[in-house]
Amino acid sequence: MSPDELKQKVAEAAFIYLEQLLHANWVLGIGTGSTVNCFIDCLAQSSQTFVGAVSSSVQTTDRLNAHNINVIDINDVSEVMVYIDGADEVDSTFALTKGGGGALTREKIVASLANKFVCIVDESKLVNCLGAFPVPVEVLPLASHPVATQIGKLGGHPKLRSGLTDNGNCVLDVSGLEIDDPDYWERTINDIPGVVTTGIFSLHRPQEIFVARADGSIDHKVRS
Ligand code: 5RP
């Protein structure tokens, strides 16, 4: 199957699972990216009612609005029942790298509010150790140089991404890191003054992951 077909397949599988749980008083959290776009399109076809969705990016908000799905401000919710999002890398302990689409900070905020985080990926995203995909780090523009210097001292090779995030910040894509201890690396990078957040999602890992295999079969993994 093509990468696009696998994204569609995994989004449909997660949607069928979540639609059975979906309740009229639920607020969902919606991530960002091409896999999540497929999920949003499924959600739009649902006959199940729910309160609405907290969005993790302008791109996602636009797609939710286009489907007339109620978008709720993150400051107006106390709880998100389920957060659904893709990832750039997933290790065997469910630690993730995210932020390829630049939405990492809002994604992490919504993930932190969620009772359950469900991640949807195709099997190309599964890795033994995070770090081959350059780790995105959102940084205040005024601090991009000092943060890059500090990351260099940790052994990383930061590259400034062109453009700004939805929050008006820069992203450094950091290659050369072997994320063998994701909790440590998430905390260490987050502690650098000027960093807004890192795309390592270890402290807020998903509870469940749907994986589309190359043959089109779906694995539903639950963290023990
Ligand atoms: C955006 C993200 C995405 O979830 C990640 O980049 C995966 O995207 P896609 O589903 O398009 O492969 O973290 O910031």
Side-chain angles (χ1 to χ4, degrees), residues 7 32-35 85-88 98-104 107 125:
K7 287 175 186 190
T32 298
S34 52
T35 317
D85 201 355
D88 298 304
K98 291 187 45 54
L104 58 163
E107 290 174 335
K125 307 287 182 73

Side-chain angles (χ1 to χ4, degrees), residues 68-82:
N68 292 316
I69 295 172
N70 183 28
V71 178
I72 304 170
D73 191 292
I74 198 162
N75 288 310
D76 293 337
V77 301
S78 51
E79 186 179 55
V80 169
M81 287 306 287
V82 175

Side-chain angles (χ1 to χ4, degrees), residues 9-55:
K9 203 91 189 145
V10 75
E12 280 170 13
F15 170 71
I16 289 166
Y17 168 69
L18 287 173
E19 196 186 29
Q20 294 164 8
L21 310 174
L22 199 56
H23 192 275
N25 65 8
W26 273 26
V27 173
L28 293 174
I30 308 290
T32 298
S34 52
T35 317
V36 165
N37 283 344
C38 298
F39 179 83
I40 295 171
D41 296 345
C42 293
L43 191 59
Q45 308 303 321
S46 177
S47 52
Q48 267 296 345
T49 55
F50 58 102
V51 179
V54 171
S55 165

Side-chain angles (χ1 to χ4, degrees), residues 3 51 92 150:
V51 179
S92 59
Q150 292 305 316

Side-chain angles (χ1 to χ4, degrees), residues 126-168:
L126 303 183
V127 297
N128 290 326
C129 182
L130 304 179
F133 185 93
V135 176
V137 180
E138 184 162 350
V139 177
L140 295 177
L142 62 85
S144 61
H145 188 69
V147 171
T149 303
Q150 292 305 316
I151 287 175
K153 288 182 184 166
L154 296 170
H157 307 293
K159 185 164 182 260
L160 186 63
R161 196 184 288 187
S162 65
L164 298 176
T165 67
D166 290 349
N167 312 312

